[in-house]
Amino acid sequence: MLVKMTSTGIIPTYQRFVNGVPVPSFSRRSFRPREKYLILLVFFTFGVVCVGAFFFLPEFRGGSGTVNSVYSVYKHMQKAGPELLIPAPPPADEVNEIPGGGKLIRHDYFDHPDPHKIKDKAMLLAKIEEADEIDKMRNQRVLEKPDVIGPNPPLMSVVAPVKTEKTVETAIEEIGVPKQDSVVTVPPAPSNRYPDTNDGEDRDPVTRERRAKVKEMMRHAWDNYVRYAWGKNELRPISKRGHSGSIFGSGSLGATIVDGLDTLYIMGMHEEFKQGRDWIAESLDINSLSIDLSVFETNIRFVGGLLACFALTGDVMFRDKAAQIAEKLLPAFQTQTGIPNALVNLKTGASKNYGWASGGCSILSEFGTLHLEFSYLSDVTGNPVFRAKVDHIRRVIQAMDKPRGLYPNYFNPKTGKWGQHHMSIGGLGDSFYEYLLKAWIQSGREDQEARQMFDDAMHHVIQHMLKVSPGGLTYISDMKFDRLENKMDHLGCFSGGLFGLAAQTLKNDMSSRYMEIADGITNTCHESYDRTAAKLGPEAFRFTDSSEARALKSSEKYYILRPEVIESYFIMWRLTKDQKYREWGWEAVQALEKHCRVAGGYTGLKNVYLEEPMKDDVQQSFFLAETLKYLYLLYSDDSLISLDEWVYNTEAHPLPIKGVNPYYREQV
């Protein structure tokens, strides 16, 4: 190796030898052009990254002021509109050092402030504030609070009106956003019965304590869902993770959030309600999913839950989300008869029925449990298609010949004929009858067709399916091929409250008979609870010569936090004021706390006849939507979601009664 001296230092050079002969070497004194371009390209790329990062950094906010990135300022300038031109600001004062000491100060172009500059700055700030206000109101729009007729409105406002500048109001009107007025929220106004109470509380101190306990149960169920399964459909409270085996599958639809939101609202849990509301607004998007959903379950839980929140709050986000989801269900109605299939794919619109349902039939309780939600949705959106779909179902069913005047649980949407002659007021049939009565109530008692269909159906149910056991227990038996099974489902226990509601809403020659049946069925369902070790009822119970109101098959002995028995307690309490219903409800609360409560929420049981039953590790969404809501209302004053102003869908979501409740919010 040779060493060469240069003006910048010592640069080593290497001499190559071939067969001992030195080979001339060429020392490089500069980069090749290609290398220069490569180096320049690297520096240029680095510069672009730095400049881009500077311009697209997110906004930083702090203290009392707002420091915006250049990108944010640019966005606001865009919103300011083309009519606003901001001239380049004149150079600021400069201070230059003078050689030999001293300073030379170069002042602005003018010796006095530029009025155009001041005006432009004020205009820019005003535009930015307007844009922020409009963005805020786009994210949370509410309808104006309706005029309340009478001395005691059903709900009272707790949110003050938003005051804005005239320029902001004008901008909002131009883009068609309703002006924000008072938001209707719980608690209700003081009741007529107990003027000294508020928040829907009963004046009895023991009842207040019980209601507070139910609210604490709701908080326990909700907080653990938030902690371990937020955004998932349901919670596994023992495993402390999301439950992907529910009826909604693995798609993260937040079923517990949507289903339980109005319960949070009614209980006055405002922070939790806002938490759920924000998730729905930002994250509930069924358009991104390609799964088969149950038309029935999606309607009663999602559409019904969202519409209840809309009715209670006036927040149109809930109405719009409900409409979007309902529109995704419409392809299921594209059958030869217009009777919808049970399942619909959200992405493709393809629909089908369950393979096990009597040769591909649709199920009575599913296609017959759409009327409340779809009719109300048409009224609040102005879109008649939803009401048209359910009115068509009504016409098809009414025109059918019915064996013994009864409605079989299966209907073939292709042939227009009944499937297997299996009748039940429990599973597969239950809520069809419920919606006949409640459609009449919801319409302000104008839908006489629905009431007539209900009374005709109940006449034949009483004639052919109502039984009294040797022990004096009243029940409505399932029937298959004209034979009674002497079995009643837990799902059928809602019928105690249903008959009571039928008796109370129309006084005629059947009213006393309806109330007698209501009392008898509710008592029988309580007995099904009381005759278990856990004091919680089985999924189904039978009546034989040796056993009454007990499950006999192992597949019938489970309890999955169902609400139907408590639903009847609640309705019968409000109709009769018989204290036994509140006591029976408290027995259920104690049993739930003893056997179903775990550190991570509430779980169902696999066998209610065991002293220490195994747990199924599922917190059903309807536990928050129905079971806890009905318990809370059982210990509340009648003014809270009054039966005179609201009708509950089959998932316990309250919908306003037309012409009676000013919060019906019909589109005009």
Side-chain angles (χ1 to χ4, degrees):
M1 183 178 72
L2 302 178
V3 177
K4 180 184 292 184
M5 298 296 296
T6 69
S7 60
T8 57
I10 302 176
I11 300 178
T13 61
Y14 295 84
Q15 179 68 58
R16 296 179 57 200
F17 293 86
V18 176
N19 296 325
V21 179
V23 178
S25 62
F26 302 92
S27 60
R28 296 172 52 194
R29 289 180 168 80
S30 63
F31 294 108
R32 295 190 180 96
R34 183 177 299 176
E35 293 171 334
K36 291 180 182 180
Y37 296 148
L38 180 61
I39 294 171
L40 287 174
L41 180 61
V42 170
F43 279 104
F44 177 76
T45 303
F46 179 75
V48 170
V49 171
C50 291
V51 173
F54 172 77
F55 273 94
F56 291 94
L57 280 174
E59 298 174 349
F60 295 94
R61 304 192 181 276
S64 60
T66 301
V67 181
N68 293 324
S69 68
V70 174
Y71 181 66
S72 175
V73 173
Y74 174 70
K75 285 178 61 181
H76 285 306
M77 289 171 64
Q78 279 186 316
K79 293 178 181 179
E83 75 279 4
L84 181 62
L85 298 176
I86 306 176
D93 293 349
E94 283 186 20
V95 179
N96 298 327
E97 299 289 339
I98 300 176
K103 295 181 180 180
L104 175 63
I105 301 177
R106 195 183 83 179
H107 294 283
D108 204 347
Y109 289 137
F110 306 101
D111 294 332
H112 53 81
D114 184 358
H116 299 289
K117 177 180 176 181
I118 296 174
K119 181 180 178 181
D120 289 343
K121 182 177 180 181
M123 290 175 63
L124 176 60
L125 292 175
K127 286 287 183 178
I128 290 174
E129 291 174 1
E130 287 178 28
D132 287 340
E133 193 67 35
I134 293 171
D135 285 344
K136 178 181 178 181
M137 298 186 69
R138 280 185 185 276
N139 292 334
Q140 184 171 3
R141 297 178 291 158
V142 298
L143 297 181
E144 293 186 4
K145 179 180 177 182
D147 294 330
V148 178
I149 303 173
N152 286 290
L155 298 174
M156 67 184 293
S157 171
V158 297
V159 179
V162 175
K163 296 181 179 180
T164 58
E165 296 296 330
K166 182 177 180 179
T167 53
V168 176
E169 293 178 349
T170 303
I172 292 172
E173 291 174 359
E174 288 175 356
I175 63 173
V177 181
K179 193 164 55 177
Q180 183 169 356
D181 198 357
S182 299
V183 181
V184 183
T185 62
V186 291
S191 71
N192 290 325
R193 185 182 302 275
Y194 307 129
D196 60 324
T197 66
N198 54 45
D199 297 352
E201 285 192 327
D202 192 282
R203 69 177 178 182
D204 176 57
V206 174
T207 303
R208 291 188 185 193
E209 290 179 6
R210 290 178 174 181
R211 191 175 89 141
K213 174 59 183 176
V214 176
K215 184 174 181 177
E216 185 277 329
M217 295 168 69
M218 180 66 180
R219 190 177 302 280
H220 181 68
W222 176 263
D223 286 349
N224 280 286
Y225 168 77
V226 172
R227 183 176 296 113
Y228 300 116
W230 183 246
K232 303 298 182 183
N233 290 319
E234 290 171 330
L235 165 69
R236 286 191 174 274
I238 299 175
S239 306
K240 296 182 178 179
R241 57 186 175 88
H243 176 47
S244 60
S246 71
I247 57 171
F248 297 107
S250 58
S252 296
L253 294 170
T256 295
I257 300 174
V258 181
D259 220 7
L261 199 62
D262 60 347
T263 303
L264 294 170
Y265 187 81
I266 290 169
M267 291 184 178
M269 299 172 65
H270 301 300
E271 292 184 7
E272 292 83 355
F273 176 82
K274 184 179 184 305
Q275 182 183 29
R277 186 265 175 206
D278 291 345
W279 184 90
I280 292 173
E282 298 168 4
S283 302
L284 179 58
D285 180 16
I286 64 172
N287 295 317
S288 61
L289 300 175
S290 179
I291 56 177
D292 292 337
L293 280 188
S294 163
V295 174
F296 163 72
E297 295 288 358
T298 304
N299 175 63
I300 66 173
R301 302 196 197 198
F302 283 79
V303 179
L306 292 168
L307 287 176
C309 288
F310 167 68
L312 290 166
T313 67
D315 188 339
V316 297
M317 182 277 293
F318 293 119
R319 180 198 64 193
D320 295 344
K321 288 283 186 179
Q324 291 169 11
I325 294 174
E327 286 171 359
K328 286 292 186 178
L329 304 181
L330 293 180
F333 292 79
Q334 296 174 5
T335 64
Q336 287 86 334
T337 59
I339 301 297
N341 287 322
L343 300 170
V344 62
N345 187 280
L346 294 180
K347 187 173 183 180
T348 66
S351 65
K352 61 183 179 181
N353 275 327
Y354 298 109
W356 52 264
S358 183
C361 283
S362 298
I363 299 170
L364 180 69
S365 66
E366 297 198 345
F367 66 78
T369 310
L370 302 167
H371 208 102
L372 295 187
E373 297 82 3
F374 273 44
S375 295
Y376 183 52
L377 187 58
S378 278
D379 282 351
V380 298
T381 62
N383 186 350
V385 66
F386 304 109
R387 183 185 294 275
K389 295 296 184 184
V390 293
D391 283 347
H392 178 76
I393 292 174
R394 172 89 61 82
R395 290 193 297 271
V396 171
I397 294 300
Q398 190 181 28
M400 293 291 296
D401 290 331
K402 292 168 273 294
R404 293 197 177 193
L406 299 171
Y407 291 87
N409 291 340
Y410 300 107
F411 182 89
N412 193 310
K414 296 180 180 179
T415 65
K417 296 181 179 180
W418 297 114
Q420 182 185 96
H421 284 194
H422 174 206
M423 293 79 160
S424 173
I425 203 165
L428 306 180
D430 49 4
S431 49
F432 165 73
Y433 305 100
E434 177 186 4
Y435 271 39
L436 290 178
L437 176 65
K438 291 183 175 180
W440 172 71
I441 295 174
Q442 183 193 41
S443 71
R445 308 189 184 186
E446 293 183 357
D447 188 356
Q448 293 295 331
E449 180 184 60
R451 177 73 201 215
Q452 189 61 51
M453 290 177 67
F454 173 80
D455 286 332
D456 290 346
M458 290 304 102
H459 170 77
H460 292 96
V461 166
I462 293 171
Q463 182 180 357
H464 299 295
M465 299 168 64
L466 183 69
K467 301 288 292 182
V468 178
S469 72
L473 297 181
T474 301
Y475 65 99
I476 299 177
S477 173
D478 284 6
M479 176 184 283
K480 282 188 177 181
F481 301 107
D482 297 334
R483 292 187 58 187
L484 293 179
E485 289 191 287
N486 293 308
K487 174 184 79 76
M488 189 171 178
D489 294 339
H490 190 293
L491 289 167
C493 284
F494 86 100
S495 60
L498 182 71
F499 275 102
L501 201 58
Q504 187 267 345
T505 52
L506 183 63
K507 301 296 182 182
N508 58 17
D509 55 353
M510 286 299 296
S511 295
S512 59
R513 178 59 172 150
Y514 279 168
M515 187 56 74
E516 178 185 347
I517 294 171
D519 180 74
I521 290 177
T522 307
N523 177 70
T524 298
C525 291
H526 171 255
E527 286 296 317
S528 75
Y529 274 48
D530 199 48
R531 299 182 184 194
T532 69
K535 301 303 178 184
L536 293 167
E539 181 69 5
F541 46 92
R542 298 176 181 268
F543 298 84
T544 65
D545 294 337
S546 59
S547 179
E548 294 184 351
R550 289 180 63 90
L552 301 180
K553 298 181 178 180
S554 59
S555 60
E556 300 171 344
K557 296 180 179 180
Y558 62 88
Y559 171 71
I560 56 173
L561 306 173
R562 285 204 186 275
E564 289 78 18
V565 175
I566 295 167
E567 175 183 356
S568 286
Y569 293 168
F570 157 65
I571 294 176
M572 292 300 288
W573 159 255
R574 289 211 170 172
L575 298 181
T576 69
K577 291 298 177 286
D578 190 332
Q579 187 63 31
K580 70 182 180 184
Y581 296 115
R582 279 185 164 174
E583 296 305 320
W584 290 351
W586 187 243
E587 290 173 4
V589 169
Q590 292 175 308
L592 287 166
E593 289 296 280
K594 180 178 180 181
H595 296 289
C596 299
R597 182 169 181 145
V598 294
Y602 288 87
T603 173
L605 307 175
K606 294 186 176 181
N607 189 337
V608 294
Y609 294 98
L610 299 177
E611 292 290 343
E612 296 294 334
M614 291 182 62
K615 298 172 172 56
D616 69 6
D617 193 20
V618 178
Q619 179 176 283
Q620 305 281 348
S621 78
F622 56 68
F623 179 65
L624 288 77
E626 301 184 76
T627 308
L628 292 178
K629 182 185 291 155
Y630 282 134
L631 282 170
Y632 186 79
L633 293 171
L634 177 62
Y635 301 112
S636 298
D637 178 66
D638 289 2
S639 64
L640 185 56
I641 316 298
S642 168
L643 292 177
D644 295 329
E645 296 169 333
W646 301 86
V647 62
Y648 295 82
N649 86 336
T650 197
E651 191 77 4
H653 296 306
L655 300 174
I657 297 174
K658 189 174 184 178
V660 175
N661 192 329
Y663 299 97
Y664 193 83
R665 307 182 190 278
E666 185 173 9
Q667 187 81 275
V668 293

